């Protein structure tokens, strides 16, 4: 039996046991960053079409319903104040054009004008197309929905490529981009934007806030480490992993708060008084158990002369502020993560997503914050492609290169899946075994990063399977016939 058939059989066996023992089936269908012939190139019996052909045809059919041939196309190049607007037919012939000085919320009259102009030229209605620029496309989507019209979005990268293919130059103007957007919509090079409800939208905003706080906290740690390595390197050796030790952090906070840039001053009252101050500070860092060895090591480092002495006073003064910023950022981060788990509970998905060994509720909430409602993806592969974790096969003619991930997708979703895998590997024996296999096998051996990316892709596939099956089950219980339309 060929490798692709074995992979397909393993995948079917894994998916057939959803709802049973999750520990036994997670990631069994993962085959690494090798091109998945079973997904796209297998011809369905009797039709002469591959599965990829069938999915693409279905996607085009859904888009054609939104961009019918009897509708004119309104292309809008969104900006802050000046909006470039053009109405075209499906051959990109311009029917009308105008430039409007208005905010996005003031485009209602423009939509009404477009509908009247379309009717004047014999069209039944208007399909609106735009780039997903910041928040403005959401505003436009709200105005479009109020008028019972349809909005589709065009990837800005496609607009840039179309600009070059239009006249072989890189000239850019708002008026030209509006026409290119309309042309791409007519050619169905567009997609239906996510229309999240209030709960999913809140989770998305909390996820964005969490990402910013993680970046801020990580920057504070790097900055604090740099300052201490320059001016007072001895204190970093007081603990094996200093920034993960609450005792070390509490001791450092006491020193920076009271030493005025000269840590040797705190050695005069003695170890007992220093230890008492650290014990009182420990509760502020969320610690309860005192580690005397770490506290003594920090106390000994008070007299360590190593470091650039001329920089010590200023560096430690600055380090005090950075330490305060780090503590504030981690406190806010904990608050945001608590709210994300509350939203996950509200969606009824906490117990389901945490059934995957090693995946925490916060990690799952971070991934779902970037994916949105998973039922809008018609297959697990579509979700992986949305994240940019699908294989990118580097092959042409007789040359075949090593497959890597495409990176054409949502970067923050890739990062959230990567972090979830990083935290789950020590606690998930199946993930750990698969990681060892992918990085040690003789044929098509992957690097550590590639192996983690492959496992992250499998984790997203599994997340899609268990969530959509739960939604289908809930819909069946409620008497619903179909799932919401896939975007």
């Amino acid at each position: 039996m060929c490798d692709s058939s074995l992979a397909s059989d393993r995948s079917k066996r894994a998916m057939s046991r959803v709802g049973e023992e999750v520990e036994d089936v997670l990631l069994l269908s993962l085959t690494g960053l090798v091109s998945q012939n079973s997904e796209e190139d297998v011809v369905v019996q009797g039709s002469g079409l591959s599965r990829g052909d069938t999915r693409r045809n279905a996607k085009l059919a859904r888009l054609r319903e939104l961009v019918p041939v009897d509708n004119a196309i309104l292309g809008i190049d969104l900006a802050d104040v000046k909006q470039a607007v053009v109405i075209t037919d499906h051959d990109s012939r311009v029917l009308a054009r105008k430039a409007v000085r208005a905010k996005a919320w003031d485009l209602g009259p423009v939509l009404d004008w477009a509908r009247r102009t379309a009717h004047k030229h014999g069209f039944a209605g208007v399909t609106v197309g735009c780039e997903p620029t910041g928040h403005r496309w959401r505003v436009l989507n709200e105005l479009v929905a109020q008028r019972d019209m349809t909005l589709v979005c065009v990837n800005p990268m496609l607009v840039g490529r179309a600009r070059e293919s239009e006249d072989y130059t890189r000239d850019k103007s708002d008026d030209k981009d509006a026409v290119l957007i309309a042309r791409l919509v007519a050619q169905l090079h567009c997609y239906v934007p996510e229309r999240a409800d209030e709960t999913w939208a809140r989770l998305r905003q909390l996820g964005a806030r969490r990402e910013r706080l993680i970046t801020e906290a990580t920057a504070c740690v790097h900055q604090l480490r740099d300052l201490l390595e320059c001016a007072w390197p001895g204190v970093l050796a007081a603990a094996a992993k200093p920034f993960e030790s609450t005792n070390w952090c509490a001791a450092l906070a006491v020193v920076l708060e009271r030493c005025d840039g000269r840590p040797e001053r705190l050695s005069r009252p003695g170890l007992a008084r220093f230890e008492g101050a650290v014990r009182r500070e420990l509760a502020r860092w969320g610690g309860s158990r005192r580690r005397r060895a770490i506290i003594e090591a920090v106390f000994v480092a008070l007299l360590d002369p190593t470091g650039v002495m001329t920089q010590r006073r200023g560096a430690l003064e600055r380090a005090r502020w950075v330490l305060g910023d780090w503590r504030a950022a981690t406190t806010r981060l904990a608050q945001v993560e608590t709210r994300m788990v509350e939203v996950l509970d509200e969606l009824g998905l906490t117990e389901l997503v945490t059934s995957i060994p090693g995946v925490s509720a916060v990690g799952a909430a971070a991934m779902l914050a970037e994916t949105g409602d998973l039922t809008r993806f018609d297959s697990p592969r579509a979700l992986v492609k949305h994240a940019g974790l699908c294989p990118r096969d580097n092959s042409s003619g007789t040359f075949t290169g090593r497959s890597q991930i495409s990176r054409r997708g949502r970067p923050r979703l890739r990062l959230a899946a990567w972090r979830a895998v990083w935290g789950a590997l020590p606690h998930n024996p199946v993930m750990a075994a698969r990681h060892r296999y992918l990085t040690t096998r003789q044929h098509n051996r992957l690097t550590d990063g590639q192996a983690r990316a492959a496992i992250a892709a499998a984790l997203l596939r599994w997340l899609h399977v268990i969530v959509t099956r739960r939604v289908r089950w809930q819909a069946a219980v409620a008497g619903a016939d179909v799932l919401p339309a896939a975007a």
Side-chain angles (χ1 to χ4, degrees):
M1 187 178 292
C2 64
D3 293 341
S4 61
S5 300
L6 289 173
S8 178
D9 292 341
R10 287 196 297 267
S11 177
K12 291 177 182 178
R13 288 197 299 270
M15 299 308 176
S16 65
R17 296 202 296 266
V18 173
E20 300 177 12
E21 291 295 329
V22 179
E23 293 83 352
D24 295 335
V25 298
L26 176 62
L27 303 178
L28 289 182
S29 61
L30 177 61
T31 56
L33 290 177
V34 183
S35 182
Q36 303 296 311
N37 295 330
S38 60
E39 290 287 340
E40 291 291 336
D41 301 327
V42 173
V43 176
V44 179
Q45 289 184 350
S47 68
L49 302 178
S50 69
R51 295 173 185 174
D53 294 332
T54 303
R55 289 173 181 165
R56 280 188 290 270
N57 291 346
K59 177 183 176 181
L60 292 174
R62 290 194 298 268
L63 288 175
R64 181 53 70 194
E65 292 177 359
L66 301 175
V67 192
V69 293
D70 55 351
N71 269 16
I73 299 172
L74 175 64
I76 304 179
D77 187 62
L78 293 171
D80 184 19
V81 176
K82 182 181 177 182
Q83 320 293 342
V85 182
V86 65
I87 303 176
T88 71
D89 60 12
H90 283 255
D91 293 326
S92 298
R93 289 178 295 195
V94 177
L95 306 178
R97 178 195 294 275
K98 66 164 51 179
V100 182
R101 298 192 66 84
K103 294 285 188 178
W105 275 113
D106 300 324
L107 288 177
V110 174
L111 298 177
D112 298 332
W113 165 80
R115 175 175 284 170
R116 292 193 302 269
T117 304
H119 290 164
K120 179 180 176 182
H121 286 83
F123 290 95
V126 176
T127 298
V128 183
C130 69
E131 292 177 308
T133 308
H135 66 278
R136 299 183 186 95
W137 71 269
R138 290 191 174 94
V139 176
L140 183 60
N141 190 27
E142 187 74 12
L143 296 175
V144 166
Q146 292 172 2
R147 288 160 176 77
D148 197 22
M149 300 168 71
T150 301
L151 174 75
V152 292
C153 286
V154 177
N155 192 314
M157 182 184 68
L158 292 181
V159 177
R161 297 283 176 84
R163 192 182 302 125
E164 296 180 15
S165 64
E166 180 79 6
D167 53 10
Y168 303 104
T169 68
R170 296 186 178 180
D171 296 341
K172 185 183 187 313
S173 67
D174 295 342
D175 295 332
K176 178 187 289 188
D177 284 355
V179 176
L180 293 177
I181 290 171
R183 190 184 82 185
L184 291 170
V185 171
Q187 296 172 350
L188 301 184
H189 294 308
C190 56
Y191 65 94
V192 183
E194 178 188 9
R195 293 177 174 87
D197 60 18
E198 183 177 351
T199 306
W200 282 105
R202 183 187 174 205
L203 185 61
R204 173 65 60 84
Q205 298 294 346
L206 289 172
R209 173 65 173 170
R210 176 179 180 267
E211 182 64 27
R212 180 184 175 277
L213 288 174
I214 288 176
T215 302
E216 181 180 343
T218 304
C220 287
V221 170
H222 289 316
Q223 189 176 8
L224 192 58
R225 187 187 298 274
D226 288 344
L227 291 171
L228 294 177
E229 282 182 350
C230 174
W232 190 24
V235 72
L236 291 172
K241 297 181 179 180
F243 294 97
E244 298 179 14
S245 169
T246 55
N247 281 263
W248 183 88
C249 292
L252 182 65
V254 169
V255 174
L256 296 181
E257 185 72 26
R258 305 182 183 191
C259 73
D260 191 25
R262 295 182 175 88
E264 62 274 7
R265 291 181 175 180
L266 295 185
S267 65
R268 296 169 188 169
L271 176 60
R273 292 189 61 180
F274 179 75
E275 187 175 354
V278 173
R279 186 171 60 251
R280 291 189 294 271
E281 179 72 15
L282 192 59
R284 298 180 60 191
W285 288 88
S288 57
R289 187 175 180 181
R290 183 179 49 176
R291 298 286 184 179
R292 186 178 179 87
I294 295 178
I295 298 174
E296 289 181 354
V298 175
F299 182 80
V300 172
L302 294 175
L303 298 175
D304 189 348
T306 308
V308 184
M309 299 303 295
T310 57
Q311 295 288 331
R312 175 170 285 190
R313 186 175 183 183
L316 293 187
E317 183 179 21
R318 182 181 170 194
R320 174 188 172 189
W321 293 328
V322 176
L323 185 66
D325 294 340
W326 181 41
R327 179 162 56 189
T330 52
T331 301
R332 294 195 298 268
L333 178 60
Q335 294 172 350
V336 169
E337 290 179 344
T338 300
R339 296 193 179 190
M340 291 178 69
V341 175
E342 291 175 355
V343 175
L344 208 60
D345 292 337
E346 186 178 343
L347 292 169
L349 297 176
T350 304
E351 184 179 357
L352 186 66
V353 296
T354 54
S355 63
I356 303 174
V359 177
S360 65
V362 173
M367 288 187 287
L368 292 176
E370 297 301 326
T371 63
D373 188 357
L374 288 177
T375 59
R376 67 193 183 98
F377 298 99
D378 57 359
S379 68
R381 182 180 177 85
L383 175 59
V384 174
K385 292 179 71 174
H386 180 68
L389 286 170
C390 58
R392 175 175 61 86
D393 194 9
N394 234 354
S395 61
S396 176
T398 58
F399 171 77
T400 302
R402 167 169 281 190
S403 296
Q404 298 179 351
I405 61 173
S406 68
R407 298 187 184 273
R408 296 291 190 184
R410 194 173 183 87
R412 292 202 304 201
L413 176 54
R414 287 200 303 274
L415 183 58
W418 176 280
R419 285 173 175 161
V421 169
W422 187 277
L425 272 176
H427 310 286
N428 190 311
V430 178
M431 280 189 185
R434 196 62 191 176
H435 180 268
R436 286 194 300 270
Y437 170 72
L438 292 175
T439 54
T440 58
R441 63 184 178 182
Q442 301 253 341
H443 173 66
N444 193 21
R445 181 183 302 172
L446 303 184
T447 64
D448 179 71
Q450 290 174 333
R452 290 178 188 271
I455 297 174
L459 179 60
L460 289 178
R461 292 190 196 102
W462 187 250
L463 198 65
H464 180 275
V465 169
I466 61 177
V467 172
T468 53
R469 288 199 176 189
R470 170 63 67 86
V471 172
R472 288 192 180 96
W473 177 79
Q474 291 175 341
V477 171
D481 294 330
V482 295
L483 283 172

